[in-house]
Amino acid sequence: MSVKLTVEQSVFLQGPVSINVATAGRDGWPCVCRAQGCMVAHDRKAVTVLLSARRGQAVLDALDGGGGIAVVFSRPATHATLQLKAGHAARTALKTVHRNCATLYARGLADELMMLGYGADLGQGLIAMMTATDLVALRFAPEIVFDQTPGPAAGRVLVAA
Amino acid sequence: MKLALEALRPCLDGAIPAVIATCAEDGTPNVAYASQVHYVDTEHVALSYQFFSKTRENVLAHPYAQAQVIEPGSFRHFRLRLHYLRTETTGPLFEYMKAQLAGIASQTGMDKVFVLRGADIYRVLDIEVVDPELPPAPALSDALLRLRRALELLDDSADLSELADGALVALSPNFCIHHALLLMLDEAGDALYTLASLGYANSGIGAEVKVGEGIIGVAAREKIPVRINYRTGDYSYQAAMRATRPGEARIPLPVLAEPHSQIAVPLIRGGQLVGVLYAESEHDTCFSHADEDALVVYARHLAMLISQVPCEPDDAAPARTETSARPSGVPLHIRHFPADHSIFIDNDYLIKGVAGSILWTLLNEHVATGRLDFCNRELRRDPRLQLPDFGHNLETRLLLLQRRLAERCSAIALEKTGRGRFHLVLERPLTLSPG
């Protein structure tokens, strides 16, 4: 059973946010990797995140093995942070729209970081890292959404199935 | 080749937040940002524990985690497999992380919200280089070479005065440090006093910091270097209180109003705290791990040099140099308060503690006998001073007194006449009043 994201949450997830995907393997080891873009379905009940197959191999293997998924989205300019979780995620066919999304995402996040004074080196490094040609699209239906903006309220459930 | 944890220290300065993945006992994953991933030693890192988060709940039940850290300047990612071991709630590591968290909290707009409740210690089991194809960040300038150059400059110091000033001046070309203080531990061991300063409108000579108070006091109490890379609004980590309570004899520290980077390094000699070297900057992330390492070595060397000063033998007694010209003009009114040995000259506060006691003794001796020439050895033995462990502090206190007089009272001066010998210069007559 999935939840329906709000319009604001959908906009946030597809904005200049840092995205990291975690899961746990069958051996009980948690693993994490950076994602390279996000698309929210029109009905706001499903989310697709884009990973580099090489950089996210351990995460992808664990998800293929049936592990649950947790994805954290954080906007550097505001520190606003959301975490979405689901019991499973599945690979989906990579389309042009996904590639375009990844390209725009890298530029948008790099611009955001440079605007914050992180410097051109970091922005260029980010774009270089995110020009992966081995993109994988992972689709999941969020079952619970947490507010994880730093502070004592971090971890508050915003919506749950 | 296995990557050493030390090589990742630039990733652990908080410039780019780390993320940490954990999982619950039922396998449900969790991923969250970590305020701090702190380098502990070659095998351990510590994460700040501020709130009882899902991350913490998970590692207490299932003590395995993976942290992803990022190298500033290159955006290379590294993943650390971690095994949670324990939580420390007191001690040097806790205090260091607490101080650093104050800076990180301010940077993230979380002043007064982030409070360190513990330092969660993890063993690093494995390090994965996620982006081997990306070039590393440009190398920083060689801290060892800069340290060597700074130490070479100390060799030329002829006496304690030159050493104290030279030790700060040497930091400027080699560490780009333009604001610094050298503070020495007082005889009671509960406060530090400023012996030399660099880059401030007011020298602050004689200004005190209580041990345990602010970044300088924490570095002194814990005998650890403390480095904060961002401006902190947390009052307790400002270098010291700036407000002077009405009626209190206090010399304000001349520190920056809003430093963006601060580092306090203890001067340690034979395991004992001697003083603290403090530096600050208007810029964020001014001091790296490598700078911290270099300054720790520098401070230890400086502590040794300062401690050696009392070991040098005094010159043989010179011919008396008293002048026959009697001071003239309106008498200076000198008041001494025995409770803390504070000295006021014409109602203006001058100094207190050991330095105040020395001046009071010298002036009384002069009034009683007419003497103007003195030697350090006799002061060490003078029963009127009644100060335990006095010999180790005498030279620094004499220098402190000499500098305060030079700044605050032109009618009294201490002029060096040889090693361990000095001449009291009086340009006006004295009226001495016990407080």
Side-chain angles (χ1 to χ4, degrees):
Chain A
M1 183 69 180
S2 66
V3 299
K4 183 172 182 175
L5 300 170
T6 67
V7 172
E8 291 77 16
Q9 288 166 349
S10 297
V11 170
F12 177 79
L13 301 186
Q14 296 174 101
V17 289
S18 195
I19 310 170
N20 285 282
V21 180
T23 184
R26 285 183 175 160
D27 57 1
W29 272 101
C31 49
V32 62
C33 78
R34 178 174 288 274
Q36 300 179 211
C38 167
M39 296 179 70
V40 178
H42 289 302
D43 64 2
R44 303 197 302 274
K45 290 184 176 177
V47 171
T48 301
V49 287
L50 306 165
L51 309 183
S52 155
R54 183 191 59 73
R55 302 180 87 249
Q57 185 180 345
V59 167
L60 291 167
D61 288 348
L63 288 170
D64 288 345
I69 186 169
V71 188
V72 67
F73 301 77
S74 183
R75 182 156 189 183
T78 62
H79 306 291
T81 306
L82 292 179
Q83 183 180 199
L84 278 54
K85 290 188 184 183
H88 65 276
R91 300 189 194 216
T92 185
L94 189 73
K95 299 173 184 170
T96 303
V97 68
H98 294 136
R99 295 188 200 284
N100 292 341
C101 170
T103 302
L104 290 173
Y105 168 79
R107 285 184 196 153
L109 183 58
D111 287 346
E112 172 103 345
L113 292 174
M114 284 191 273
M115 187 184 72
L116 292 174
Y118 276 94
D121 288 347
L122 189 140
Q124 287 162 4
L126 183 145
I127 290 172
M129 187 205 81
M130 291 193 173
T131 51
T133 55
D134 58 348
L135 278 181
V136 172
L138 270 180
R139 185 180 174 92
F140 67 97
E143 294 161 14
I144 189 165
V145 180
F146 300 90
D147 176 5
Q148 283 197 190
T149 303
R156 181 169 56 106
V157 175
L158 295 177
V159 58
Chain B
M1 189 177 75
K2 189 180 176 186
L3 190 63
L5 185 58
E6 297 99 283
L8 299 193
R9 293 196 304 172
C11 308
L12 308 181
D13 266 338
I16 303 175
V19 291
I20 181 163
T22 58
C23 64
E25 279 189 294
D26 68 357
T28 302
N30 191 76
V31 58
Y33 280 86
S35 300
Q36 262 178 308
V37 180
H38 182 88
Y39 175 84
V40 176
D41 58 33
T42 55
E43 295 181 350
H44 300 89
V45 293
L47 272 65
S48 59
Y49 157 38
Q50 296 134 246
F51 314 105
F52 192 78
S53 62
K54 188 66 181 173
T55 295
R56 186 167 171 76
E57 180 185 333
N58 283 354
V59 295
L60 291 178
H62 181 74
Y64 303 103
Q66 186 173 65
Q68 177 180 266
V69 299
I70 301 172
E71 183 180 58
S74 73
F75 215 64
R76 292 193 304 165
H77 287 47
F78 302 88
R79 287 190 282 240
L80 282 57
R81 272 192 165 194
L82 305 175
H83 181 200
Y84 169 74
L85 299 177
R86 66 184 185 278
T87 298
E88 295 184 3
T89 56
T90 59
L93 174 66
F94 176 82
E95 293 296 339
Y96 192 152
M97 290 185 68
K98 189 175 164 189
Q100 280 204 325
L101 186 63
I104 293 166
S106 178
Q107 188 208 18
T108 52
M110 291 293 138
D111 288 316
K112 312 294 181 194
V113 176
F114 281 179
V115 177
L116 191 68
R117 295 169 70 178
D120 290 341
I121 313 294
Y122 291 80
R123 179 184 294 278
V124 179
L125 302 177
D126 180 56
I127 300 172
E128 178 191 358
V129 183
V130 182
D131 309 291
E133 77 284 4
L134 289 183
L140 299 171
S141 63
D142 188 338
L144 196 58
L145 179 59
R146 291 184 283 125
L147 171 64
R148 174 182 164 180
R149 287 176 176 155
L151 289 174
E152 284 170 355
L153 292 175
L154 298 187
D155 290 342
D156 300 331
S157 304
D159 58 22
L160 181 62
S161 179
E162 284 189 23
L163 178 61
D165 291 337
L168 299 184
V169 170
L171 297 174
S172 190
N174 294 296
F175 292 94
C176 292
I177 288 172
H178 305 297
H179 304 285
L181 300 172
L182 175 63
L183 303 101
M184 306 305 297
L185 188 67
D186 73 3
E187 71 285 354
D190 58 7
L192 300 129
Y193 59 91
T194 305
L195 187 64
S197 67
L198 173 76
Y200 302 104
N202 298 311
S203 77
I205 299 299
E208 292 192 0
V209 176
K210 286 188 169 54
V211 170
E213 178 183 89
I215 179 173
I216 294 170
V218 168
R221 185 183 67 203
E222 304 296 336
K223 293 197 281 191
I224 55 166
V226 181
R227 183 168 51 98
I228 302 177
N229 265 333
Y230 302 97
R231 183 192 66 79
T232 172
D234 187 330
Y235 182 74
S236 66
Y237 288 103
Q238 292 181 13
M241 290 185 292
R242 294 183 182 85
T244 302
R245 288 187 284 275
E248 186 185 19
R250 186 172 188 135
I251 304 163
L253 267 186
V255 288
L256 297 175
E258 288 195 342
H260 283 236
S261 298
Q262 303 174 74
I263 186 166
V265 182
L267 271 64
I268 295 173
R269 164 82 168 148
Q272 300 295 311
L273 181 74
V274 176
V276 170
L277 180 64
Y278 171 74
E280 59 184 353
S281 167
E282 300 100 332
H283 306 290
D284 281 344
T285 61
C286 194
F287 307 119
S288 66
H289 272 102
D291 289 330
E292 179 183 313
D293 293 341
L295 290 174
V296 165
V297 176
Y298 187 74
R300 283 183 176 259
H301 189 77
L302 182 57
M304 186 186 69
L305 292 175
I306 290 174
S307 300
Q308 279 178 346
V309 172
C311 301
E312 295 175 0
D314 295 349
D315 284 345
R320 294 249 163 176
T321 59
E322 277 88 351
T323 56
S324 56
R326 295 180 65 83
S328 60
V330 180
L332 286 173
H333 184 207
I334 317 286
R335 292 182 72 194
H336 171 251
F337 294 86
D340 61 358
H341 296 295
S342 54
I343 297 278
F344 288 75
I345 300 181
D346 288 343
N347 294 322
D348 286 335
Y349 172 71
L350 178 74
I351 200 73
K352 66 181 177 183
V354 178
S357 185
I358 292 170
L359 181 60
W360 186 243
T361 301
L362 296 177
L363 297 180
N364 275 279
E365 182 69 18
H366 169 72
V367 168
T369 67
R371 283 183 61 197
L372 289 169
D373 286 292
F374 299 89
C375 67
N376 293 6
R377 190 187 314 148
E378 68 180 302
L379 287 179
R380 288 195 193 95
R381 295 171 180 167
D382 195 317
R384 286 171 293 184
L385 296 172
Q386 295 181 343
L387 295 166
D389 193 25
F390 183 59
H392 296 296
N393 287 306
L394 179 62
E395 280 71 17
T396 53
R397 297 314 173 95
L398 278 170
L399 179 58
L400 168 65
L401 177 58
Q402 184 184 37
R403 292 181 169 194
R404 277 296 286 172
L405 285 167
E407 284 188 357
R408 307 293 297 187
C409 180
S410 59
I412 305 176
L414 298 180
E415 287 184 353
K416 192 166 179 171
T417 53
R419 196 159 52 195
R421 301 201 164 272
F422 59 93
H423 182 75
L424 180 63
V425 179
L426 295 174
E427 294 185 356
R428 285 167 58 184
L430 304 174
T431 301
L432 303 184
S433 302

